[in-house]
Amino acid sequence: MKNIMQNRFQSIVIGVIGLLMMFLVTACAGVTGTNATNTGGNTITGAVVSVNTAQHSAILNVNGQQVTVSGLTDQQVTILQAQAGKTYTIQVTQGSGNSYTINPNSTPELNETNTPQANQTERPNATETTNPTEPQNSLEQGNISFSGKVQSVDNNRIVVSMPSGQTLSMSINSLTDLSDFNGVLPSTGTLVKVKATANTNGSFTASSVKPGTPGDLDQNVVDYEGVTTSAVGSDRVLHFKVATKSYSFVIGSTSDLSDFNNNAQSIGNNLQVKVEVQFNGATGTVIKAANSNS
């Protein structure tokens, strides 16, 4: 009887030790990064929990653990503030523990249901249907046009550098105009001029991809079409959004405001506008603002 009790006690002890070892291995594993298919860096994917504007950082819930991503730009902080609970993928460099820093010239990407397929550059089959969540009226959701170099490409997605130094990831579908490239997506490093239509979930779809011309004067200019989110005040800052993405730029003293009687403060809230922004490095200045129907 005594031997039986000892054997049972030993079995219980061994089982408890095994459970403790499994718990320790799981806890030490922390948050595991994955290799980004777009740029080769490490990525983390998680839901936005909170944003610290003063520290330019955000807390994400990644696999049940909260991680901090720092090094965000003013624009990225503004965007993520309005995206609490939504899942983003961010290219990062890991610091200590669950602390990360966003990689330079990268931007948080809102997760979509479509998974890109790698190492294919042919245009999708013409029988492919568009995502039902994508808008058919580009004016309603807005769009962005700019010139930049292709950073990465596959058969469902293209990533292009912007004059601000950031990148924009766009999905490709059967309606994307690739006629100037004979229906084939351009290779990495190609200078292109793109028009991206905003989707209701904050992602973008490439409406057209055309060859860029080296030396074009508009290579530092981004054309936005969206809706103002507040009236312009004495600070001459224009606040607007394209779908779910928010932007804020100072209106230059020589900006073309002819649609608004050359008076910045006559630009009101909830107006559909076309905005031309010229970038000097990461800093953008409005050089023209007009009504979308003009």
Side-chain angles (χ1 to χ4, degrees):
M1 183 68 178
K2 183 177 180 180
N3 289 336
I4 293 175
M5 293 296 292
Q6 287 178 341
N7 289 337
R8 288 182 177 176
F9 179 75
Q10 289 176 350
S11 298
I12 293 172
V13 171
I14 291 172
V16 171
I17 292 175
L19 288 173
L20 288 173
M21 291 296 293
M22 290 175 63
F23 175 78
L24 288 173
V25 169
T26 302
C28 291
V31 178
T32 303
T34 61
N35 285 333
T37 58
N38 286 341
T39 61
N42 292 326
T43 66
I44 58 172
T45 299
V48 178
V49 176
S50 63
V51 177
N52 188 324
T53 55
Q55 298 296 324
H56 285 79
S57 64
I59 295 177
L60 274 63
N61 186 332
V62 180
N63 296 329
Q65 299 187 49
Q66 291 195 354
V67 306
T68 301
V69 179
S70 58
L72 301 172
T73 65
D74 290 340
Q75 183 173 316
Q76 291 166 349
V77 166
T78 301
I79 292 172
L80 292 178
Q81 273 186 307
Q83 301 293 304
K86 293 187 178 181
T87 301
Y88 275 79
T89 296
I90 305 178
Q91 298 171 25
V92 296
T93 300
Q94 186 170 14
S96 59
N98 286 346
S99 296
Y100 295 80
T101 302
I102 188 171
N103 289 348
N105 298 326
S106 66
T107 186
E109 293 187 19
L110 184 67
N111 270 26
E112 299 179 76
T113 55
N114 294 330
T115 302
Q117 300 177 18
N119 301 323
Q120 299 182 32
T121 57
E122 294 297 324
R123 189 181 180 183
N125 192 293
T127 60
E128 177 185 327
T129 58
T130 59
N131 190 326
T133 63
E134 294 177 1
Q136 302 304 310
N137 183 349
S138 62
L139 181 61
E140 180 181 356
Q141 298 301 331
N143 55 70
I144 301 177
S145 301
F146 62 94
S147 296
K149 289 186 177 181
V150 177
Q151 300 299 301
S152 64
V153 63
D154 55 54
N155 70 324
N156 285 330
R157 184 165 301 279
I158 187 170
V159 180
V160 180
S161 62
M162 300 184 71
S164 62
Q166 298 183 344
T167 59
L168 186 68
S169 176
M170 296 158 280
S171 60
I172 300 293
N173 62 28
S174 60
L175 299 181
T176 301
D177 181 3
L178 297 172
S179 57
D180 287 356
F181 289 102
N182 297 319
V184 178
L185 286 165
S187 59
T188 301
T190 303
L191 180 64
V192 295
K193 189 167 186 175
V194 298
K195 181 176 182 179
T197 300
N199 302 317
T200 55
N201 64 358
S203 63
F204 287 86
T205 298
S207 300
S208 64
V209 182
K210 299 181 179 296
T213 303
D216 275 356
L217 296 178
D218 64 353
Q219 282 190 25
N220 292 325
V221 175
V222 178
D223 294 328
Y224 300 90
E225 191 163 357
V227 179
T228 59
T229 54
S230 65
V232 176
S234 58
D235 58 0
R236 294 179 63 86
V237 176
L238 178 59
H239 303 277
F240 63 96
K241 66 179 181 178
V242 180
T244 63
K245 296 185 181 296
S246 299
Y247 301 92
S248 297
F249 299 106
V250 174
I251 299 174
S253 58
T254 60
S255 298
D256 181 355
L257 304 177
S258 54
D259 278 6
F260 302 101
N261 298 316
N262 291 316
N263 180 8
Q265 294 187 48
S266 67
I267 303 176
N269 183 33
N270 202 32
L271 294 178
Q272 289 188 328
V273 291
K274 295 178 180 178
V275 184
E276 291 185 23
V277 178
Q278 186 172 48
F279 284 88
N280 182 6
T283 303
T285 302
V286 175
I287 58 175
K288 183 177 181 179
N291 287 313
S292 288
N293 57 4
S294 63

